[in-house]
Amino acid sequence: MSDRLAVLPQYLMPKLAMTRLAGQLAGAELGGFTTWTIKRFIDRYGVNMAEAVESDPAAYTTFNDFFTRALRPEARPIADAPLICPVDGAISQFGPIRADQIFQAKGHQYSTTALVGGDQQLAAQFRDGHFATLYLSPRDYHRIHMPCAGKLVRMIHVPGDLFSVNPTTARGVPGLFARNERVVCVFEGEHGPWILVLVGATIVGSMATVWHGVVNPPRPGRVRAWHYENEHFSYEQGAEMGRFLLGSTVVMLFPQGPLSFNPGWQPGGAIRLGEAMATRG
């Protein structure tokens, strides 16, 4: 079966209604049913609870509390590198931005302007730059950390679809990551601007940042922006910056420069928070 045919049912599914229902259930305190669901999830996906600060499934009052569980500090050491991996997951794609085009999968690309919600001036800063797309599976740790130190400049919530973001869908839906709902976080760092985008997906009930809290819902159906140029939201490398309430994907943009990704990285390869992601010359 072709990838496009495989994702056809997603065009017909009531994705927003499913997402709202999943978000309500994941945030509900349902006692023994919540504990049963968490245990089933752990068994189904092979979640390593030994890494969690709280390893007892019964200690979590909601499924979201479990899904966004904190890890023991020693579970994810931070590499001595200018850029570290911000999440646990798998490498979807990474490499150079060709003019303003980001490679999604064979036969599919999308523009930096579309990704950031239509702001051409913002997107132009990443022309011929570098990108990385990282996929978080259900079993992964779902907090997102800073790949390098940065000062928050802006946050943009871009409405969109809620397709799945798994590899099959990435191959089958054109412009997927610039098509789905997303939260664009713009930072200034030692080497210039950089962006971390939280991409929504089917049943991703919400996305949250440490400076704002839950960004969505609400979903007003229009682009919303928050400006922080006069605020003092600065975060060190490795600090938590956000989280997914049910899993998804992050896309990072870096400006043109001597960026060299970890030579051990390969599309489809597993990655962990804190490992060396890239170096700068």
Side-chain angles (χ1 to χ4, degrees), residues 154-186:
R154 197 186 332 172
M155 180 174 73
I156 308 163
H157 174 232
V158 186
D161 289 321
L162 291 167
F163 287 98
S164 170
V165 290
N166 62 36
T168 299
T169 310
R171 293 190 299 268
V173 176
L176 174 65
F177 303 118
R179 186 170 182 164
N180 269 14
E181 179 181 29
R182 54 207 178 276
V183 175
V184 180
C185 305
V186 185

Side-chain angles (χ1 to χ4, degrees), residues 190-257:
E190 179 182 356
H191 300 282
W194 59 276
I195 288 177
L196 195 154
V197 182
L198 288 64
V199 183
T202 311
I203 75 167
V204 176
S206 60
M207 295 174 278
T209 63
V210 297
W211 57 84
H212 181 90
V214 172
V215 179
N216 64 314
R219 291 182 168 96
R222 56 178 172 81
V223 174
R224 297 181 291 157
W226 295 260
H227 294 267
Y228 302 103
E229 291 88 346
N230 297 321
E231 304 290 340
H232 298 285
F233 293 139
S234 295
Y235 302 93
E236 296 300 316
Q237 183 183 59
E240 182 185 344
M241 58 76 60
R243 59 185 67 177
F244 289 112
L245 280 74
L246 303 184
S248 193
T249 286
V250 299
V251 180
M252 289 175 287
L253 305 183
F254 299 98
Q256 186 177 21

Side-chain angles (χ1 to χ4, degrees), residues 78-79 81-86 145-152 187-196 233-241 252-255 259 273-275 277-278 280:
I78 303 300
L83 290 175
I84 62 164
C85 184
H145 294 248
M146 296 285 284
C148 58
K151 179 185 185 300
L152 180 67
F187 294 91
E188 284 286 344
E190 179 182 356
H191 300 282
W194 59 276
I195 288 177
L196 195 154
F233 293 139
S234 295
Y235 302 93
E236 296 300 316
Q237 183 183 59
E240 182 185 344
M241 58 76 60
M252 289 175 287
L253 305 183
F254 299 98
L259 180 65
L273 166 67
E275 73 175 42
M277 174 178 145
R280 291 186 185 270

Side-chain angles (χ1 to χ4, degrees), residues 109 126 231:
Q109 299 183 94
F126 302 94
E231 304 290 340

